[in-house]
Amino acid sequence: MGRIVLEQVTKEFPGGVQAVREVSLEIENGEFMVLVGPSGCGKTTILRMIAGLEEVTGGEVVIGDRVVTDEKPKDRDIAMVFQNYALYPHMSVEQNIGFGMRLRRTPKPELRRRVGEAAGVLALRDYLERKPADLSGGQRQRVAIGRAMVREPQAFLMDEPLSNLDAKLRVQMRAELARLHEQLGTTIVYVTHDQVEAMTLGDRVAVLRDGVLQQVDTPQVLFHDPVNLFVAGFIGSPAMNLVEATVAGDTLEFGGHRLPLPEGRLDDYQGQSVILGIRPSDFEDADVWHDERRPVLEVTAEVVEDLGAEAHVLFPVEAPPVEVEGVAEDPEAGAPIPLVAAEGTSVFTAAVDARTAARTGGRVRLSVNPARFHFFDRETGRVIRTRPLEVPAPR
């Protein structure tokens, strides 16, 4: 059984630095669980504690039906795949894949069987005699995964295994990892700072910040029902638009705009300010997709990015930006540099149909769906629950 349970796990380094704070997480047998968050959030430390490479300060780690908190890595029946492939350059692909089994003196027939099966699953049969220098980055990573596979462990632990690959190869390897998980059915715990990677791979995703577990759920729930401002700002590409808005009767007011509120949504916040969140995908060009039931914002397009399948319209809103600590400044996230706005001005993004006639510097009419607005408390950053979860069908 590859079930992994973390019970109030804490890691404190010398000097009193708490990298992980009382994290409790249940990973089911055969589940693909992704740990995601900005640099320094504790995700790799958690992975290393599961593996036994980092001592647990407090709490318990359970793998299968055994408490392994104090056991050595070799006794935990897990296999790790690292960011650096760590292949032996003088060995062939076949020798690299079977290296660990040879150390354990696995009988040769069994070794050949397992290496052959792994090579078949990973499409490496034609490369078994090659050395790592003769392989592409993606092929080398597949060899590293094959070396872990032949051990037939209870679980795979993967620490940013695709971060050294170029963008195109990362997309390809994501698809291969998803296929591999489907084929093997083995538990995978996968660490990444790339939220797109997390959303496309994970059965569930655990979002961490400063060593604290913020939310764990399916990618769809994280996207459509974040529990706080951090998850809302971190999950989604382009990021959620956030602005401070005032509740005035049945409307929201911000930056010179007024938008209607569905009846009864924020009755307890009348006359107060809340944080309004709007996903870029919840905008549409009103001249392409016309719906009389939806309100329209008339704005000036500061930048129009034509991406082929859709267009991103960036426009200013005369209201101070809402900055979410730990999101914008993450040096590893690889997010595009945001458009620099004038002081006191926010920049919103609308992801609209590619048929839009919007042009840089021109006026554009954007319709928006108030039923999909997100609201957060200004003081706590927690979501204001005003409706049941609605996961919309694709446009």
Side-chain angles (χ1 to χ4, degrees), residues 80-351:
M80 284 200 73
V81 180
F82 295 97
Q83 177 179 347
N84 297 316
Y85 320 130
L87 303 180
Y88 296 101
H90 62 286
M91 292 185 184
S92 68
V93 167
E94 184 175 17
Q95 291 169 330
N96 266 288
I97 292 176
F99 180 73
M101 296 181 67
R102 286 200 304 277
L103 286 181
R104 289 187 292 275
R105 301 186 182 281
T106 304
K108 286 185 179 180
E110 177 69 6
L111 187 151
R112 282 195 296 269
R113 180 187 70 80
R114 290 200 198 175
V115 170
E117 286 180 356
V121 169
L122 295 165
L124 289 170
R125 287 190 189 277
D126 295 336
Y127 304 93
L128 289 175
E129 301 306 317
R130 295 193 187 184
K131 301 288 178 63
D134 301 323
L135 304 176
S136 69
Q139 289 164 344
R140 291 177 198 171
Q141 190 57 276
R142 292 208 299 271
V143 175
I145 292 170
R147 187 171 53 194
M149 278 178 57
V150 294
R151 293 183 52 188
E152 298 181 350
Q154 289 194 71
F156 294 111
L157 308 182
M158 300 189 176
D159 188 9
E160 310 241 23
L162 309 186
S163 60
N164 285 338
L165 305 179
D166 62 44
K168 184 176 180 181
L169 203 49
R170 286 179 74 152
V171 173
Q172 179 185 334
M173 282 301 298
R174 282 207 306 263
E176 292 189 13
L177 278 174
R179 177 185 60 80
L180 182 65
H181 178 249
E182 183 72 24
Q183 202 165 340
L184 298 178
T186 308
T187 305
I188 295 178
V189 185
Y190 188 101
V191 160
T192 182
H193 61 263
D194 184 332
Q195 55 94 15
V196 175
E197 206 166 277
M199 299 286 280
T200 53
L201 282 175
D203 293 328
R204 288 191 300 155
V205 177
V207 184
L208 291 138
R209 175 190 180 188
D210 295 335
V212 178
L213 185 62
Q214 302 292 307
Q215 186 174 1
V216 55
D217 218 311
T218 64
Q220 283 290 303
V221 171
L222 290 180
F223 184 84
H224 294 289
D225 197 27
V227 297
N228 59 35
L229 269 175
F230 178 79
V231 178
F234 191 84
I235 296 295
S237 181
M240 181 184 287
N241 301 298
L242 297 168
V243 70
E244 195 171 311
T246 301
V247 181
D250 57 357
T251 64
L252 283 169
E253 299 178 355
F254 64 95
H257 299 288
R258 293 172 64 93
L259 290 175
L261 269 173
E263 186 177 350
R265 286 287 292 273
L266 290 173
D267 287 348
D268 293 340
Y269 287 83
Q270 285 297 325
Q272 300 179 46
S273 290
V274 297
I275 304 299
L276 166 66
I278 306 176
R279 291 282 182 200
S281 54
D282 289 333
F283 284 104
E284 194 46 89
D285 187 327
D287 295 324
V288 176
W289 290 90
H290 182 63
D291 186 339
E292 292 180 353
R293 296 169 298 178
R294 294 189 181 182
V296 172
L297 299 179
E298 288 200 25
V299 301
T300 300
E302 201 152 296
V303 173
V304 178
E305 300 175 332
D306 189 347
L307 303 179
E310 64 181 12
H312 291 173
V313 178
L314 280 67
F315 60 95
V317 172
E318 299 298 325
V322 174
E323 295 181 1
V324 183
E325 185 182 351
V327 175
E329 67 270 22
D330 181 19
E332 291 186 350
I337 298 172
L339 195 67
V340 177
E343 188 174 352
T345 302
S346 302
V347 176
F348 272 34
T349 301

